[in-house]
Amino acid sequence: MNERVPPSVAAVICTRGDRPEFLREAIASIVEQDYPGPVEVMVVFDRAEPDESLTEPAAGREGPARRVRVMRNDRAPGLPAGRNAGILATESELVGFCDDDDLWLPDKLTHQVAALRERPRALFASCGAETVYTDRTVTCLWRKPQIAHVDLLHSRIKEACADSFLVRREAFFGPVGLFAEDIPGGFGEDYEMLLRAARHSPIVYVPVVGVRVRVHGRTSHFTGHWATIATACEWLLAGYPEFSTERRGFARIAGQIGIAWGMFGMRRNALRWARRSFLASPLEIRSYVVAALALGLVPRPWVQRRLDAAGATS
């Protein structure tokens, strides 16, 4: 990364084309970054026809170079493959991501590029986010200058959402690789990417709010897809044997699997995972919830309400 010339940045937005107003706002938030270097927005349409009119916000604009392109996802359906399609279609030195209904705040890139320049061996940067609900706004900030692999084994670290990722392009074609397209249903692909990246070097964390996540009454795409959640979490444990040495982290994932199988109605599977969660860490509350659910002591709607209130899928 040349110290005198601002590196080029590509921002990949994946969309199904069903939220056009939010999508245009997401694009505008990237085009209007105060970053002095060139920025390209790559909008990847997944199972939808690309909207060529989206390229207009960058046309004739004064200031640093900005470009908006649209393309069809030419890989497998779903978010991981869509992001990979966008990565492969760009050539910028750095790559970031934004959901089609979220926003980058104006100084996100300026702060993150500066942080990566200070850490030339780092591959990956993240930053804080604010989540806007109907009645409140919640700020999520990680209080350390980096996120280590062990931190991610202990916790999902919601303070590092996918909208905040900024990655050296070389990482995707070298030590880290592209987003995993074989995760069942694509569930947790952003968390898996963080785990994989942190195996090679800690994630640089910029302690500023750089993105705005807009909930506007939505629930997770995976809400109710219990078998997908369970099998994806099992896939994660199989792919990351490090969890076996971090008992708290293993208990957390095992508890998620137990809840998912319990909500799916597979009582035996749920109790088996509740037991594994409890044995790894008796402090993991999910193991008790799973046992109560499987034994009929609490109803599924009660568990769903608690998950919704916590902003969790399992």
Side-chain angles (χ1 to χ4, degrees):
M1 195 183 295
N2 190 311
E3 290 298 320
R4 295 185 178 181
V5 180
S8 57
V9 177
V12 177
I13 301 178
C14 295
T15 183
R16 290 176 293 183
D18 55 350
R19 298 186 283 207
E21 292 184 7
F22 287 120
L23 175 58
R24 287 184 179 275
E25 291 174 1
I27 293 170
S29 76
I30 299 170
V31 169
E32 294 166 8
Q33 288 286 297
D34 65 12
Y35 178 64
V39 178
E40 176 181 71
V41 184
M42 177 60 72
V43 185
V44 182
F45 281 79
D46 189 21
R47 292 164 288 179
E49 191 66 25
D51 181 358
E52 296 290 342
S53 71
L54 295 173
T55 62
E56 295 171 2
R61 181 184 178 278
E62 296 182 0
R66 300 290 186 262
R67 183 185 184 192
V68 180
R69 297 167 58 196
V70 298
M71 63 174 288
R72 185 180 289 105
N73 178 11
D74 56 4
R75 299 171 71 86
L79 186 57
R83 284 181 173 154
N84 289 341
I87 293 167
L88 294 169
T90 62
E91 297 181 353
S92 298
E93 297 169 74
L94 301 172
V95 183
F97 307 91
C98 186
D99 284 355
D100 67 353
D101 57 345
D102 294 336
L103 303 170
W104 282 9
L105 299 185
D107 55 357
K108 173 188 188 290
L109 286 180
T110 298
H111 286 296
Q112 288 189 298
V113 171
L116 283 173
R117 279 181 156 171
E118 291 175 0
R119 301 277 295 277
R121 294 188 179 181
L123 299 174
F124 208 109
S126 178
C127 67
E130 62 180 22
T131 302
V132 181
Y133 297 91
T134 303
D135 58 346
R136 68 192 190 282
T137 298
V138 178
T139 298
C140 290
L141 278 177
W142 182 247
R143 299 301 179 181
K144 300 177 184 178
Q146 65 182 29
I147 301 173
H149 189 56
V150 68
D151 295 321
L152 289 159
L153 294 176
H154 288 161
S155 168
R156 163 59 184 87
I157 305 186
K158 293 182 179 180
E159 295 87 347
C161 66
D163 289 339
S164 74
F165 296 176
L166 188 66
V167 187
R168 296 187 196 271
R169 179 181 171 80
E170 63 201 59
F172 292 119
F173 301 95
V176 177
L178 295 170
F179 284 89
E181 298 181 17
D182 55 339
I183 298 177
F187 177 78
E189 43 79 36
D190 49 352
Y191 178 42
E192 192 276 333
M193 173 57 76
L194 284 172
L195 280 166
R196 188 149 31 102
R199 270 177 168 173
H200 297 279
S201 61
I203 310 297
V204 174
Y205 196 84
V206 181
V208 299
V209 174
V211 299
R212 179 173 296 144
V213 178
R214 302 188 291 184
V215 176
H216 48 78
R218 72 185 177 186
T219 58
S220 169
H221 168 73
F222 293 98
T223 298
H225 295 198
W226 304 115
T228 296
I229 293 171
T231 54
C233 289
E234 290 177 3
W235 180 95
L236 193 68
L237 287 181
Y240 288 85
E242 304 98 307
F243 276 109
S244 64
T245 64
E246 294 295 334
R247 302 180 70 85
R248 284 170 45 203
F250 180 89
R252 173 176 59 87
I253 301 293
Q256 289 181 284
I257 296 170
I259 285 180
W261 283 131
M263 294 293 282
F264 192 62
M266 298 192 68
R267 179 174 174 272
R268 182 174 296 179
N269 267 7
L271 287 173
R272 177 166 59 90
W273 281 102
R275 180 176 182 275
R276 297 184 69 180
S277 176
F278 176 81
L279 291 176
S281 174
L283 298 178
E284 176 52 59
I285 193 171
R286 288 180 180 86
S287 62
Y288 300 96
V289 174
V290 175
L293 176 64
L295 295 172
L297 300 178
V298 296
R300 294 181 196 175
W302 181 90
V303 175
Q304 184 65 71
R305 287 195 298 272
R306 296 303 182 276
L307 291 173
D308 292 342
T313 50
S314 62

